[in-house]
Amino acid sequence: MFDLKNVCFKSDGKNPKTLLDDITVSFPTGSFSAIVGHNGSGKSTLLKLLARKNKAHSGSIELDTQVLSNHGTRDFARKVAYLPQNPVVPPHLSVRELVAFGRYPWRGAFGRYRAEDHAKIDQAMEMTHVTGFSDRLVASLSGGERQRVWLSMLLAQDAPVMLLDEPTSALDVGHQRDILQLVANLKDQINLTVIAVLHDIDMVGRFADHILALRGGRTCWQGPAPDFMNDAVLRDIFQTEINVIAVPESNRFVSYVA
């Protein structure tokens, strides 16, 4: 779905700094891909390139075998839904009104919502379990509830690719698990391609299918989740003494700093 070859990105200004260098990766279609690494390693910068919020200085990025910049604005919005870090919620917006924004790329002439739009909004709210508080103000919700509403808006957009920038950063560990489990379930139910910036190693190992690790703006490792939850791999990625143990009677692993 997304294919990157030798992608480089630099900051603006008189003395630009290279933030991403020589990134080559193919994100598998229908999979949950996680981008991991130290703070400042370029994770969010890379996601913004995929979301067309920034433009690469060199290299190529293709979506569905077509150069990313060649996709029309509406066509791109129908293919890729993006959730940035800490999205701002207008204070007087209800849950249903926010979810309805996801239909913007599909609205008919004069911006009118059609029956199909309302059906997609209802379906998205049901799949994310937010129907019960559809009339409440988004600003009044808890962190976990609010994050489900944002996911609902992305689902209403009906795009096959979902880009999530640290979707669990402000949540406690229980809500982190719930949100990532919801995303993983949605991926399987409707064949989503998910690419997310994540920090928690154990959550990555539990929910992601494919992992790209960055260090200093360059790729330092990429591969499947079972290979990621490995002492030597994690130590190399994070430059820290990390050990991994298997959870008895499961296929899961837990990491800890030695």
Side-chain angles (χ1 to χ4, degrees):
M1 179 92 43
F2 267 113
D3 292 295
L4 291 75
K5 294 181 181 179
N6 309 119
V7 170
C8 176
F9 179 78
K10 298 180 180 181
S11 62
D12 296 326
K14 295 181 179 179
N15 299 302
K17 178 183 178 182
T18 298
L19 302 179
L20 292 171
D21 189 24
D22 198 28
I23 302 295
T24 297
V25 60
S26 293
F27 290 102
T29 302
S31 294
F32 188 155
S33 294
I35 304 173
V36 304
H38 286 296
N39 290 337
S41 60
K43 303 183 298 296
S44 293
T45 300
L46 178 55
L47 203 71
K48 288 178 181 177
L49 291 180
L50 300 181
R52 301 207 311 189
K53 303 302 179 182
N54 292 328
K55 185 176 181 181
H57 286 78
S58 61
S60 67
I61 303 177
E62 293 185 351
L63 173 62
D64 292 340
T65 70
Q66 184 178 349
V67 175
L68 196 60
S69 58
N70 288 348
H71 290 267
T73 301
R74 175 167 287 193
D75 173 63
F76 182 75
R78 289 180 174 183
K79 292 182 177 180
V80 178
Y82 169 62
L83 184 64
Q85 292 184 44
N86 305 314
V88 178
V89 179
H92 303 298
L93 207 63
S94 73
V95 167
R96 187 176 181 85
E97 287 170 336
L98 179 61
V99 175
F101 283 167
R103 295 306 299 165
Y104 182 79
W106 301 92
R107 290 167 69 178
F110 309 110
R112 294 174 181 170
Y113 286 96
R114 298 162 293 189
E116 180 183 0
D117 297 311
H118 291 292
K120 290 290 184 181
I121 293 166
D122 291 339
Q123 181 185 46
M125 294 177 66
E126 289 171 5
M127 295 181 76
T128 52
H129 315 296
V130 300
T131 305
F133 44 87
S134 62
D135 294 327
R136 285 181 57 186
L137 296 180
V138 178
S140 73
L141 302 177
S142 69
E145 291 171 337
R146 191 177 300 182
Q147 205 65 359
R148 281 192 281 137
V149 172
W150 285 115
L151 290 175
S152 186
M153 184 190 75
L154 266 59
L155 283 177
Q157 193 170 327
D158 204 23
V161 182
M162 186 179 287
L163 306 178
L164 307 173
D165 195 351
E166 299 189 28
T168 60
S169 61
L171 304 179
D172 61 51
V173 65
H175 283 105
Q176 289 181 37
R177 177 204 59 210
D178 293 345
I179 289 297
L180 293 179
Q181 184 67 69
L182 175 60
V183 171
N185 291 343
L186 292 170
K187 177 210 71 172
D188 292 335
Q189 290 171 19
I190 57 177
N191 196 34
L192 277 176
T193 297
V194 178
I195 305 173
V197 172
L198 297 173
H199 278 289
D200 190 292
I201 293 172
D202 298 336
M203 294 292 181
V204 170
R206 180 173 177 176
F207 293 108
D209 304 306
H210 169 261
I211 294 138
L212 171 69
L214 301 178
R215 185 171 64 241
R218 298 179 66 92
T219 299
C220 63
W221 189 87
Q222 60 177 301
D227 294 343
F228 173 75
M229 295 302 289
N230 174 280
D231 299 14
V233 169
L234 294 179
R235 289 172 184 175
D236 181 63
I237 292 172
F238 296 100
Q239 303 289 283
T240 302
E241 286 296 313
I242 300 176
N243 292 327
V244 176
I245 58 174
V247 178
E249 300 180 359
S250 79
N251 59 354
R252 303 213 314 266
F253 298 86
V254 175
S255 65
Y256 65 95
V257 178

